[in-house]
Amino acid sequence: ADGQPETDPRRDRLGMAAPDLGATGQAQLLHMTAARYTAEAALFVIPLLLTWLYSRQGSAWPLIPWAVGMAVLGVVMLLARRRLHQDALGMSDAALLARWIPRSQKVALVYGASWVVPVVLTWGDAQFEFALGQYLVLAGITAAATNYLATIFGLFVRCFLGLWVVAMPAICWVFPQHWYFMLPLALLYAIVSFRHALDTHRFLVRQIQLEERSAYLAEKYKAAQLQAEQ
C-alpha cells in the first residue's frame, strides 16, 4: 500500500517472524545475527570445561567424542558465516533470505540440541555437582541466545526447543532428590528467557521499521521536490 515500504511475500514461509519488514529489513536482521561469534566461542571452550569437570569423577571418555563434535560444529558455523558474507556481496536480499534462512533454521536446531547431549551421555552416572554444572551451562547458552538469536525469532525458537524439550523433563531423573524445586525454577527461567527474546526481537523489528519508514518518506520528499522544481 502507498506509504509503506515494500514487503517480501515469502516472509512467513521463511520464518522471519517480521511480517511488516521488507526483504532489506529482514536481510538486516540476518546480518545482525551473523555478525556475532558468541556461539562459536562457546562451542570451542565450554565442552572442554565440561569434559574436564566430568573427568574429576571418573573417565571422561563419554564426553570426549561430544567435545570433538562440538568443535567440528564450531568450524562448520564459522565457514557458513564466511560463505553468507560472500553471498551477500552478489545476491539480492530476497535471494539471500531464501538461501540462508532455511539453512540457519537447521543449524539453530542442531546447535540447541547439541548442548543436551551430555545430559544423555552421563544419565545416571553424573554426580550432583556435574549435573548442576550442565544445567548452568544450558541456562547460560539460553541467556546468550536471547541476545544473538532474538534478531530472527524463528532461529531462537528452534535453538530454545532443541535445548529444553529434552533437558526440561530430564530434570526429574537427573536430580531425583531436588527436582520438585529445580523443575519449577527451570520452567520459570525458560518462560522469562522466551519472553525476553520476543521483546528484544520486537524492539529490533520496530527500529528497522522506523528506519525503513524514514527512508521511504525521504525518497517521497525528494521526488516531490524534484517534481516541484520542474
Side-chain angles (χ1 to χ4, degrees), residues 91-212:
M91 299 178 66
S92 67
D93 291 331
L96 187 71
L97 293 169
R99 171 176 292 184
W100 282 100
I101 291 301
R103 295 179 181 181
S104 300
Q105 290 172 343
K106 295 175 183 177
V107 172
L109 182 60
V110 172
Y111 177 78
S114 66
W115 289 105
V116 191
V117 173
V119 176
V120 178
L121 293 177
T122 62
W123 194 292
D125 296 326
Q127 297 178 358
F128 177 80
E129 291 79 7
F130 177 78
L132 183 61
Q134 289 183 102
Y135 274 82
L136 289 176
V137 166
L138 295 182
I141 296 299
T142 302
T146 60
N147 292 316
Y148 67 82
L149 285 182
T151 48
I152 302 177
F153 193 64
L155 300 186
F156 171 80
V157 170
R158 285 164 175 79
C159 178
F160 181 87
L161 292 177
L163 274 166
W164 291 107
V165 164
V166 174
M168 189 67 70
I171 291 176
C172 297
W173 290 272
V174 176
F175 303 101
Q177 298 178 352
H178 307 89
W179 69 268
Y180 60 91
F181 69 87
M182 294 193 67
L183 182 58
L185 288 175
L187 282 170
L188 178 61
Y189 177 79
I191 293 171
V192 171
S193 297
F194 192 91
R195 179 67 185 184
H196 175 67
L198 181 59
D199 290 342
T200 300
H201 171 74
R202 287 173 173 170
F203 173 79
L204 293 172
V205 169
R206 182 58 179 165
Q207 290 296 111
I208 295 177
Q209 285 177 333
L210 292 174
E211 293 175 4
E212 288 185 339

